[in-house]
Amino acid sequence: PPLTVARVARGAVLGAATGVMLVASLGFVGLEVARLLLVGRKPAFLLTRMAQKGSRRRVCAWDDTLTVHAMKVAAHSGHKGSRFTVNDVALAMVAAGVRSFNDARAANIQAAKKAPSTVIAAVPINLRKGEELRALRNKWGFAVVGLPLTSSSARSVIPQVGRAMNYVKLFMEGEVSYRATLVIAMIDQKFKRLGAVIRWISSLATARLTLCVSNVPGPAEPLHLEGCTVTNLLGFLPPPPGCRIGVALCSYAGKITFTLSSDAAVMRNPKDLTDRIVGGLGDFAHP
């Protein structure tokens, strides 16, 4: 179609808006990295107390009692006037479980009160859309989210979690981090020394993370292999370097399997934290 003044003006406005949003997103990610580099470990917070010196041994636990239906009901039974997602519910359960875990192991009430108000978590974001979903390739970004430790009730903290995730969506943090990762990989291939410096800075940032939390939607219907029905899927999330705890939720045929993998230096019994997180779903049944 022929060019018109209206079409040119529309294209200019869209281009300018996209540029402004990209710059804002890059600035937002830069601030997040700076925050990670500057944040200090809080010795009163038991999950990070021993993480400065990690071990090579990992411990894990899992639970398969959750269902997709129960998570959706919880997402729609939140506060009036607010819309939450299943991912918001999962993150709220993690935040409440971590707070409960910390309180139960604090030496005294004063130590629990000195614990930080947030725990820093990395949340992988699947950027594939449309036909890309059928391709056998990955396209992942990530977001850095401060999960609130203000309450041991998942229902109480979900409004704060929802606001944090809305900021992630607004600033396109997943897309920007994906592009940044591609640039870092390109620099690493062409300029080895500069790439090593960038990787070192990245490792310093990820070392400030306490958790990596991923929610992976699986097939809604049961699958079959060689005539046998696949009854369940079980996968563990390998956290980035320096991050000690990986949490994953994977849905399959209406069920959700929750898994937790942790550095043994952080906790000896991951089942305790797992039970506290999974038990947070019950908070949504009591207004």
Side-chain angles (χ1 to χ4, degrees), residues 154-169:
R155 183 183 176 86
S156 298
V157 301
I158 195 171
Q160 297 167 271
V161 171
R163 286 194 294 270
M165 293 307 296
N166 285 337
Y167 280 120
V168 167
K169 298 169 185 175

Side-chain angles (χ1 to χ4, degrees), residues 20-99:
V20 170
M21 184 60 72
L22 180 60
V23 172
S25 300
L26 287 171
F28 182 75
V29 173
L31 289 174
E32 290 289 351
V33 173
R35 185 182 68 166
L36 286 177
L37 291 174
L38 294 175
V39 70
R41 296 287 188 180
K42 299 294 183 71
F45 186 44
L46 298 182
L47 279 181
T48 59
R49 182 180 60 178
M50 302 177 67
Q52 292 180 350
K53 184 178 180 181
S55 68
R56 296 185 178 182
R57 179 172 171 265
R58 301 198 68 83
V59 292
C60 60
W62 63 90
D63 183 280
D64 59 0
T65 60
L66 299 175
T67 65
V68 174
H69 175 72
M71 294 288 283
K72 289 183 177 180
V73 169
H76 291 89
S77 63
H79 299 252
K80 292 183 178 180
S82 301
R83 298 180 62 182
F84 301 113
T85 66
V86 170
N87 199 49
D88 294 338
V89 173
L91 291 175
M93 290 167 58
V94 171
V98 169
R99 173 58 191 261

Side-chain angles (χ1 to χ4, degrees), residues 105-279:
R105 279 152 182 75
N108 50 55
I109 297 177
Q110 283 70 30
K113 290 183 178 179
K114 292 180 182 178
S117 59
T118 60
V119 59
I120 301 176
V123 180
I125 300 175
N126 184 13
L127 300 174
R128 296 187 302 164
K129 298 178 181 179
E131 291 298 322
E132 290 181 318
L133 295 172
R134 300 179 180 274
L136 295 177
R137 60 185 294 268
N138 288 325
K139 186 179 179 182
W140 292 90
F142 70 91
V144 177
V145 181
L147 298 181
L149 300 183
T150 53
S151 172
S152 58
S153 167
R155 183 183 176 86
S156 298
V157 301
I158 195 171
Q160 297 167 271
V161 171
R163 286 194 294 270
M165 293 307 296
N166 285 337
Y167 280 120
V168 167
K169 298 169 185 175
L170 176 63
F171 288 100
M172 302 185 299
E173 192 171 345
E175 185 69 33
V176 173
S177 63
Y178 173 72
R179 300 296 177 186
T181 302
L182 294 181
V183 172
I184 292 174
M186 182 183 66
I187 293 175
D188 191 28
Q189 290 178 353
K190 295 186 176 181
F191 309 98
K192 296 296 183 181
R193 292 185 179 180
L194 181 57
V197 173
I198 293 177
R199 289 198 307 273
W200 177 70
I201 295 175
S202 299
S203 66
L204 287 179
T206 56
R208 266 59 180 179
L209 297 169
T210 299
L211 300 164
C212 188
V213 184
S214 181
N215 178 22
V216 183
E221 301 296 332
L223 301 180
H224 298 82
L225 181 64
E226 295 291 337
C228 299
T229 302
V230 179
T231 58
N232 203 353
L233 298 179
L234 184 66
F236 293 88
L237 176 67
C243 181
R244 305 303 182 188
I245 301 174
V247 174
L249 291 89
C250 182
S251 65
Y252 171 69
K255 296 173 58 179
I256 294 180
T257 301
F258 176 94
T259 65
L260 188 147
S261 173
S262 171
D263 190 322
V266 177
M267 66 181 75
R268 296 181 179 180
N269 180 21
K271 182 64 175 172
D272 185 13
L273 178 57
T274 300
D275 291 342
R276 293 177 186 275
I277 294 175
V278 173

